[in-house]
Amino acid sequence: MSTVLSILDLAYIPEGGAARNSFDASVALAQLAESRDYRRIWYAEHHNMASIGSSATSVLIAHVAAHTQSIRLGSGGIMLPNHAPLTIAEQFGTLETLHPGRIDLGLGRAPGTDQKTMYALRRDPASADRFPQDVLELQAYLAGKSRVPGVEAIPGKGTNVPLYILGSSLFGAQLAAKLGLPYAYASHFSPDALVDAVTLYRERFEPSEQLSEPYVIAGVNAIASDTTAEAHRQFESAVRRRVVQLVGHGQTFSPEEVDLIMSSPAGQQMKQRWRYSAAGTPYEVKAYLEEFAEHAQADELIIASYTEDSESWLRSYDLIADVWHAAKVSGQ
């Protein structure tokens, strides 16, 4: 089995929970992942979302890195149009200087939020159009080959933090292929263009200093438990919470109202966002992940898991590692 496993951690804050508890859980997950040979953990930049605590992405990476030894940590991703390339080069250059050889920089061009929050971030709506140029400017700062005369990233210059292009459309695939960078597709919540985007990326890939051959990371949802029924219960509960969050915009609903939301056209459409999901016993999840990796032409899977509590969350990743690494040892 050549496909490697990684983790996407959104620093989930449960209803009524505290951000500090979610950060403690993120540290516990990273320590578990490190001991179970997961390749990397990424944290996503989202803003004004009550259930996601990873808004200050580089700060969270620094915190987790200080409590781990070897696992790679990075952004999945930094929404570059929200920032000046120099600022991100300095932040991730600092991270790489403090934790050499452990830092990834995944980049996306979406806002990671809504229109009102875009204004609060002072984001120019046209900044997404500059995304390719901003990626090149950022890459140059990190390589010590600044495109802005007289301006260097300090720290950052010469660190060559590896870049990854994130996407959920053909645009990101084309850009990653043109720049010769790894491509991470967000199939865990935006499944529709997966096959077309990965195929285009592999067909058009141009080698670069960072990467000689195409490399694909695909997102997938997974919950493993001791029984199929318990895993499915947790998964359905997680989907209900996410649909209510997205459709309800922070409102509180009764169970009956949630049922109506789930059965509505909007609810059904939202449910399709989690098309690529595995829930079951560890061996059932393993079988699904193997099939999905082949379908996605993925070199690496990055797993997102949404459970009711941190104990179930940690156990799910532990159970998946048990069967995945056992298969590698046996040569399956």
Side-chain angles (χ1 to χ4, degrees):
M1 184 186 304
S2 58
T3 307
V4 298
L5 296 186
S6 294
I7 294 172
L8 177 66
D9 178 5
L10 297 177
Y12 175 66
I13 305 172
E15 186 175 352
R20 177 55 195 257
N21 293 338
S22 78
F23 298 151
D24 290 344
S26 290
V27 169
L29 176 63
Q31 292 171 341
L32 170 70
E34 188 170 72
S35 70
R36 300 313 312 271
D37 293 329
Y38 282 91
R39 172 67 59 84
R40 70 186 91 239
I41 301 179
W42 280 357
Y43 306 90
E45 178 189 347
H46 291 284
H47 300 281
N48 195 31
M49 295 187 181
S51 62
I52 296 178
S54 52
S55 55
T57 314
S58 59
V59 179
L60 181 56
I61 293 170
H63 175 65
V64 176
H67 289 82
T68 51
Q69 300 296 323
S70 59
I71 191 166
R72 296 195 67 88
L73 303 167
S75 59
I78 289 292
M79 300 298 106
L80 190 55
N82 291 344
H83 312 275
L86 177 61
T87 299
I88 298 304
E90 291 168 341
Q91 289 178 7
F92 279 78
T94 299
L95 287 169
E96 175 64 22
T97 300
L98 292 170
H99 308 283
R102 296 181 57 198
I103 303 301
D104 300 328
L105 180 46
L107 301 167
R109 67 173 183 141
T113 190
D114 55 28
Q115 294 291 326
K116 291 182 179 179
T117 311
M118 284 176 63
Y119 168 77
L121 290 167
R122 299 299 190 268
R123 169 175 167 161
D124 176 4
S127 58
D129 297 335
R130 299 193 299 270
F131 181 66
Q133 292 76 25
D134 285 352
V135 171
L136 290 171
E137 183 179 332
L138 171 58
Q139 186 179 47
Y141 284 133
L142 294 169
K145 302 174 182 178
S146 176
R147 291 179 164 226
V148 182
V151 177
E152 305 284 357
I154 304 170
K157 177 181 178 180
T159 56
N160 291 299
V161 177
L163 304 186
Y164 298 74
I165 299 298
L166 279 59
S168 57
S169 68
L170 300 186
F171 176 87
Q174 291 174 318
L175 181 61
K178 181 65 177 177
L179 299 183
L181 295 175
Y183 179 54
Y185 187 89
S187 36
H188 61 295
F189 74 87
S190 184
D192 293 345
L194 170 64
V195 172
D196 289 343
V198 171
T199 298
L200 183 151
Y201 167 71
R202 289 193 176 278
E203 288 178 348
R204 299 190 183 181
F205 180 83
E206 299 178 18
S208 67
E209 289 185 20
Q210 179 177 328
L211 194 65
S212 61
E213 297 179 349
Y215 191 86
V216 172
I217 302 174
V220 61
N221 304 293
I223 295 177
S225 189
D226 293 316
T227 67
T228 303
E230 174 60 17
H232 279 274
R233 186 194 68 77
Q234 290 188 34
F235 179 73
E236 289 301 321
S237 176
V239 170
R240 285 170 68 90
R241 291 196 306 273
R242 294 303 301 276
V243 169
V244 168
Q245 290 165 2
L246 292 169
V247 176
H249 303 293
Q251 300 179 64
T252 300
F253 298 99
S254 68
E256 293 76 17
E257 289 172 326
V258 174
D259 289 338
L260 289 174
I261 292 173
M262 295 300 295
S263 61
S264 70
Q268 292 299 308
Q269 184 178 17
M270 288 291 182
K271 285 180 67 175
Q272 287 301 310
R273 296 178 63 172
W274 292 279
R275 183 189 313 161
Y276 294 124
S277 300
T281 66
Y283 285 100
E284 289 170 336
V285 170
K286 169 180 169 289
Y288 182 91
L289 294 180
E290 290 174 334
E291 181 179 315
F292 173 72
E294 183 175 352
H295 171 72
Q297 305 177 67
D299 302 287
E300 181 176 339
L301 300 182
I302 191 160
I303 300 173
S305 184
Y306 309 95
T307 60
E308 297 169 336
D309 56 81
S310 59
E311 183 178 349
S312 299
W313 189 56
L314 295 170
R315 179 160 172 73
S316 177
Y317 283 113
D318 204 20
L319 290 172
I320 292 171
D322 278 343
V323 295
W324 197 261
H325 298 313
K328 287 177 67 175
V329 171
S330 66
Q332 295 179 5

